[in-house]
Amino acid sequence: MKRMLTVLVVIPFMLLLVPARSHAQTDLDAIMMNKYQFCNGFMYNYASWDHYWEGTFKRDNKNMGTVSTQSVMYMANYGITDRLNIMAGAPYVWTKASAGTLHSMKGVQDLSLFVKWKPVTWTFGKNKISLFTIGGFSTPLADYVIDFLPMSIGLGSTNITARGMVDYKHKRFTATGSAAYVWRSNVKLDRDSYYDTELHLTDEIKMPNVANYQLRTGYRGRYLIAEALLTNMTTLGGFDITKNNMPFPSNRMNATTVGVNLKYTVKQLANLDVYAGGNYTIAGRNAGQATAYNAGLFYAFYFCKKPKS
Amino acid sequence: MKSLFLYTFIMVAGSLLVTSCSKSIDERTNNAPALAPANMDIDAGSWKPVLLASASEFNVPAPAPTNTPDYVAQVNEIKAWQKDLTGEEKSLVNYWSAGAVLRWNEILRELVAKYNLPPYQNPDGTYPIPNASNPLAYPQFPFANPPYAARAYAYFSAAQYDALVAAWYYKKLYNRPAPYKVDANLNVLIPKSDLPSYPSEDAVIAGVATEMLKLLFPGEQDFIQQKADEHKRSRIIAGANVRSDLEAGEALGKLVAQKFVARARTDRAGAAVGTAAVWDQMEKDCIAKGEGYWISQEVPKRPPMLPLFGKVRTFLFDSLTLVTQIRPGPPPSTSSQKFKEETEEVLYYSEHPTRERMRIIHFWADGVSTVTPPGHWNSIAAEDFIKENLSEVRWARNFALLNMAMMDAAIVCWDAKFTYYNPRPSQVDPRIKTLTGLPNFPSYVSGHSTFSAAAATILGHILPSRATDYAQMAEEAKMSRLYGAIHFRSDCEVGYTCGQKVGDFAIQRAKADGAE
């Protein structure tokens, strides 16, 4: 039953928690690739929970034990200019329940594409403020089963994301805040009727849209980046899991997590970034209380001649 | 510059996508056409009822003539409503004009889905049992699981059928025309019909529904009464009935329903939950036979679902017939080579799911929080009946046949399950992981197979042109349980055979009820 965390939190997390700085930036941070710079690599994510919120009621479920979601995501970023980057990623996801009889699920999940634009930067003394807008698109790469939560690997919707972000930098100290609106398409079930708060004689589900917020702050050095993160995802609508019911794709899935990000660029191999991070869900609704870890390795280089400047 | 162009392009394309993809959904029966029966079955008053001794068992008084001031006043009530119709009132007319049996069947399915949730455990690891006399306290009454739902659909449909047979008897007897036949100037919002309007068939159905649902979903009185009021109002607004048509119909519906309620109170379903002593004895009996026995795989262990439901009174045959002619022989011995082979087969399906098999599993799963397998077959039947332009009384007759067959199928299936108390595949081999929820009761025989075969058999008789399709659907439903790794092949195949036998009894009834 409750894989919410999986998709709701874990998958966004795979997108969110990717490293920073010159390589391997994400749609959630203030790092830009330079013009013609290409970075790509893999991120591994492990998230698990043994308690979850059924609506607002926190419980465990011995028929699932600990539910885990793992993924390996390929990610690539490219600097069209110093101020305009594009990013793409796609994960392979697999789930497992440690107890009970529910079968695990696995497969390729969603392709995501982002465009990040930094139109404005103000500098005053040792302070710098930059504004960003980010547009995103994601869609399933395969017809995976969405109606087997929490074992399903995804929710199956095609999403369009619009995000605004402000980044403040004082010497090596940084603080970044952003807010996003995620429009989600309807999804289809393999069955031809379902009950949410009423009976629907259709296989199609109206998916509520989602708001996403993040604050991150910490040290951003030449080789090392260390940040603390506070992230919130709020579903704008949807319904609560009824008592002792299974979760459903259009549940009101919310989660607030705290986490850390570390990224290190190997001095002797400046093309190589090593990334590690973790986060913990401190509040949620229709979501698992997940603890997640991730680690990644990214390689960056210039496609063309490195431009002067 | 180039990049700005790219960015703009993506943003414009994105916003176009958003605006072009409206989220509104057309549900399948939202815009079902208004009922315009090809044949009004004017002689249905002579059809054989299920429980009524005769169509005239309950008296319906003769209506006032249509030239009396009282009748004229009632027609004026219609005109007063029609003067100033709101959008909501028009949509009520559209909704209910698709058919009263159809809409109330959908409402019952909705209630089943809402109440189809197993209770959450107590802190001490036991489970609370829903209490009919305190339906709103947790766990809400009822837990509308498949046997409960099968019985609910059957009583609901059979009572509607009997009440409409009685209504048709009085319609023909009194032959009061519809108000638009009396007053040619009356505005009518539905297709006109030559069917006499007293007593109103819609009010009969609403009366049956409110009365039956007091028993079946006692916590939903507000909701049900609101639906019944809207239903009756829609008939006046539409110009289809005057108030006295409705009053006589509702009264008749309630009287007939009470007869079914009385039967339901004594059909032994109330004791189907059993007791701890009953559950233990079933296990001991199985051990005494030297066979492996079913154990709940839930944590904490949950008592089996309605172990004495196999003792409930059937509609289509008696209990001796059930035991001697329909109850299947025992499943393969748990120590036999065949059992071992069947377990291997389940393991294969567990370990090799394909997308197509997953589709089949989930299409037919009809598990927690759904209308259940009998509800699914109601939905299949309803959407076919819509195309047939049936009279309300034939709608009710077809649903009564279908749902009595599925209730009896549930009884036959539960009888086998708790006679043999056979283990589930995942209990025998822990490597077997299930691709849908594991039901909490013994394996042999498969409920889905029994329900589906019974449904496909009687529906194939009712709509012969669809018989092959129904058989294919039932076959797929049957296999879905093996694919889902929750049933052995024997469970499915033997269950299917039992269901066909039950369906044949329904066909016998159909051939003899005077409607063909």
Side-chain angles (χ1 to χ4, degrees):
Chain A
M1 340 208 139
K2 327 309 161 146
R3 97 44 230 282
M4 359 250 55
L5 243 263
T6 308
V7 173
L8 286 202
V9 179
V10 171
I11 302 303
F13 264 67
M14 298 191 306
L15 300 174
L16 309 192
L17 291 192
V18 190
R21 182 78 207 268
S22 52
H23 319 158
Q25 18 72 293
T26 72
D27 61 304
L28 272 166
D29 62 33
I31 311 303
M32 296 296 283
M33 312 275 293
N34 297 324
K35 188 172 187 178
Y36 298 147
Q37 193 180 19
F38 180 77
C39 170
N40 74 143
F42 289 93
M43 176 73 77
Y44 167 78
N45 188 88
Y46 176 90
S48 69
W49 47 268
D50 60 7
H51 280 71
Y52 61 97
W53 288 274
E54 184 179 86
T56 54
F57 172 59
K58 192 174 170 187
R59 61 170 291 185
D60 65 354
N61 193 328
K62 298 283 192 280
N63 296 301
M64 299 186 296
T66 299
V67 175
S68 60
T69 302
Q70 298 182 73
S71 61
V72 171
M73 184 168 185
Y74 172 75
M75 306 181 69
N77 318 309
Y78 179 67
I80 294 173
T81 73
D82 291 353
R83 289 184 171 273
L84 184 70
N85 285 188
I86 54 173
M87 288 165 269
Y92 185 87
V93 183
W94 62 106
T95 62
K96 188 174 165 54
S98 71
T101 68
L102 289 186
H103 202 287
S104 56
M105 296 276 113
K106 61 187 176 189
V108 175
Q109 199 216 35
D110 301 348
L111 169 72
S112 57
L113 300 167
F114 289 97
V115 177
K116 177 154 54 166
W117 184 33
K118 181 166 75 167
V120 188
T121 303
W122 294 291
T123 308
F124 42 102
K126 300 205 161 166
N127 304 301
K128 196 152 91 174
I129 291 179
S130 306
L131 299 184
F132 297 76
T133 65
I134 296 118
F137 171 81
S138 73
T139 196
L141 285 172
D143 180 26
Y144 53 79
V145 174
I146 63 170
D147 195 14
F148 195 45
L149 298 174
M151 308 311 293
S152 291
I153 61 165
L155 293 178
S157 62
T158 292
N159 299 346
I160 293 169
T161 303
R163 179 178 294 274
M165 183 160 63
V166 182
D167 181 61
Y168 170 74
K169 192 171 178 195
H170 176 79
K171 295 183 184 169
R172 297 290 189 197
F173 168 82
T174 63
T176 311
S178 68
Y181 186 86
V182 184
W183 180 91
R184 302 198 292 184
S185 71
N186 292 359
V187 297
K188 286 199 170 181
L189 300 172
D190 287 327
R191 51 180 156 136
D192 66 1
S193 77
Y194 63 91
Y195 184 88
D196 47 21
T197 56
E198 55 188 286
L199 184 65
H200 297 279
L201 300 180
T202 173
D203 59 355
E204 197 172 346
I205 307 171
K206 195 184 285 185
M207 292 289 277
N209 297 336
V210 168
N212 221 304
Y213 308 94
Q214 190 179 65
L215 284 173
R216 49 201 296 154
T217 182
Y219 174 87
R220 194 187 293 163
R222 185 173 171 79
Y223 294 102
L224 178 72
I225 293 174
E227 286 177 300
L229 296 89
L230 175 67
T231 308
N232 172 269
M233 145 169 185
T234 300
T235 301
L236 307 170
F239 70 104
D240 283 335
I241 305 171
T242 36
K243 188 133 173 149
N244 221 30
N245 199 351
M246 309 279 285
F248 195 74
S250 61
N251 283 142
R252 179 189 292 262
M253 300 179 191
N254 297 343
T256 302
T257 63
V258 293
V260 293
N261 258 7
L262 291 173
K263 196 206 67 118
Y264 182 66
T265 305
V266 182
K267 266 185 198 171
Q268 295 78 2
L269 300 162
N271 286 1
L272 211 57
D273 275 355
V274 182
Y275 171 83
N279 62 75
Y280 176 68
T281 306
I282 54 172
R285 181 164 174 169
N286 305 302
Q289 183 163 32
T291 304
Y293 304 98
N294 36 43
L297 200 59
F298 293 85
Y299 184 78
F301 59 91
Y302 283 91
F303 254 118
C304 307
K305 239 183 340 187
K306 186 172 179 173
K308 287 177 213 156
S309 83
Chain B
M1 199 57 225
K2 205 167 60 181
S3 51
L4 255 179
F5 175 76
L6 177 72
Y7 181 75
T8 312
F9 173 78
I10 289 171
M11 284 293 132
V12 169
S15 52
L16 277 179
L17 194 59
V18 172
T19 48
S20 67
C21 297
S22 156
K23 285 197 180 188
S24 73
I25 297 168
D26 265 341
E27 299 190 17
R28 288 191 302 280
T29 66
N30 274 2
N31 299 309
L35 200 57
N39 175 352
M40 62 187 180
D41 289 314
I42 190 64
D43 293 321
S46 64
W47 293 358
K48 189 178 147 199
V50 174
L51 285 190
L52 291 187
S54 75
S56 57
E57 180 177 333
F58 295 108
N59 183 48
V60 173
T66 54
N67 55 5
T68 59
D70 180 50
Y71 188 87
V72 174
Q74 292 182 44
V75 173
N76 284 332
E77 183 191 2
I78 296 174
K79 291 178 178 169
W81 274 104
Q82 289 183 342
K83 232 180 203 168
D84 191 17
L85 281 187
T86 65
E88 192 191 353
E89 284 163 344
K90 282 179 197 156
S91 66
L92 270 185
V93 170
N94 287 338
Y95 171 81
W96 286 105
S97 68
V101 173
L102 167 69
R103 292 309 187 196
W104 279 105
N105 181 272
E106 290 178 346
I107 290 167
L108 177 57
R109 275 184 261 148
E110 176 166 75
L111 291 173
V112 166
K114 179 177 180 181
Y115 281 81
N116 183 9
L117 288 170
Y120 182 62
Q121 67 260 26
N122 294 316
D124 67 357
T126 62
Y127 289 90
I129 296 172
N131 180 355
S133 56
N134 194 9
L136 295 172
Y138 192 83
Q140 291 184 325
F141 180 89
F143 169 19
N145 50 44
Y148 187 93
R151 175 172 166 273
Y153 291 124
Y155 274 97
F156 194 76
S157 303
Q160 285 181 354
Y161 167 68
D162 272 19
L164 287 178
V165 168
W168 251 250
Y169 170 83
Y170 289 109
K171 277 175 184 292
K172 192 176 175 191
L173 179 68
Y174 296 132
N175 199 26
R176 179 198 257 187
Y180 48 79
K181 302 261 177 189
V182 177
D183 183 340
N185 297 322
L186 191 66
N187 189 19
V188 193
L189 307 183
I190 52 154
K192 292 183 183 177
S193 157
D194 291 330
L195 188 69
S197 71
Y198 178 95
S200 155
E201 66 272 29
D202 283 77
V204 165
I205 293 163
V208 169
T210 48
E211 203 65 20
M212 290 309 303
L213 291 174
K214 278 183 202 165
L215 173 80
L216 297 168
F217 291 92
E220 292 288 338
Q221 284 310 297
D222 283 359
F223 171 73
I224 292 157
Q225 199 55 56
Q226 183 205 332
K227 289 289 179 192
D229 291 344
E230 288 175 357
H231 182 186
K232 286 179 287 175
R233 189 157 76 243
S234 78
R235 297 297 288 178
I236 291 187
I237 294 170
N241 288 112
V242 292
R243 187 163 293 279
S244 54
D245 295 341
L246 297 174
E247 283 167 355
E250 185 172 25
L252 175 63
K254 285 184 184 242
L255 285 170
V256 174
Q258 278 158 18
K259 192 145 185 175
F260 282 81
V261 169
R263 184 196 194 270
R265 290 200 188 283
T266 56
D267 71 357
R268 295 186 284 271
V273 169
T275 61
V278 167
W279 311 330
D280 286 348
Q281 190 58 44
M282 287 173 163
E283 188 174 307
K284 282 180 190 147
D285 291 349
C286 206
I287 295 169
K289 283 186 278 187
E291 290 295 328
Y293 55 91
W294 177 79
I295 299 173
S296 171
Q297 286 185 271
E298 288 196 36
V299 183
K301 281 195 194 326
R302 187 186 290 273
M305 180 186 290
L306 302 182
L308 297 181
F309 194 84
K311 310 287 183 208
V312 171
R313 262 176 81 197
T314 42
F315 269 112
L316 299 171
F317 41 80
D318 59 27
S319 55
L320 183 68
T321 306
L322 190 164
V323 173
T324 57
Q325 290 183 41
I326 306 178
R327 179 188 286 171
S333 167
T334 50
S335 52
S336 68
Q337 181 61 27
K338 183 162 200 285
F339 185 78
K340 201 177 153 197
E341 285 165 12
E342 290 203 6
T343 308
E344 288 294 321
E345 185 183 20
V346 179
L347 179 63
Y348 171 83
Y349 283 114
S350 172
E351 290 181 341
H352 301 88
T354 64
R355 187 63 186 85
E356 172 61 6
R357 286 203 288 267
M358 289 298 286
R359 181 197 67 75
I360 292 169
I361 293 164
H362 287 115
F363 182 78
W364 293 105
D366 297 320
V368 164
S369 189
T370 69
V371 299
T372 75
H376 195 161
W377 282 100
N378 273 266
S379 164
I380 291 166
E383 286 162 34
D384 282 350
F385 295 160
I386 288 173
K387 298 172 201 145
E388 299 291 321
N389 293 321
L390 305 176
S391 65
E392 292 282 12
V393 67
R394 195 170 285 277
W395 263 92
R397 179 251 186 189
N398 292 350
F399 266 137
L401 289 167
L402 170 66
N403 285 314
M404 288 192 294
M406 287 196 289
M407 171 172 160
D408 286 4
I411 294 167
V412 163
C413 175
W414 253 246
D415 170 74
K417 282 181 183 293
F418 290 93
T419 298
Y420 299 115
Y421 217 65
N422 209 37
R424 288 275 173 179
S426 52
Q427 182 192 328
V428 179
D429 186 341
R431 289 176 300 172
I432 293 173
K433 294 290 178 185
T434 64
L435 294 157
T436 185
L438 179 67
N440 191 60
F441 39 81
S443 203
Y444 182 85
V445 293
S446 149
H448 282 58
S449 306
T450 316
F451 285 129
S452 299
T457 302
I458 182 62
L459 286 178
H461 174 80
I462 292 169
L463 292 179
S465 64
R466 292 275 284 150
T468 313
D469 297 326
Y470 294 137
Q472 277 170 4
M473 289 184 218
E475 175 71 20
E476 193 178 270
K478 173 188 103 177
M479 290 306 289
S480 76
R481 308 308 271 175
L482 175 56
Y483 297 159
I486 59 172
H487 271 295
F488 301 105
R489 184 175 285 273
S490 290
D491 302 342
C492 301
E493 291 184 345
V494 178
Y496 195 90
T497 307
C498 292
Q500 283 177 314
K501 286 183 187 169
V502 174
D504 286 339
F505 278 94
I507 292 177
Q508 282 178 33
R509 194 196 141 80
K511 285 179 172 166
D513 68 5
E516 297 187 353

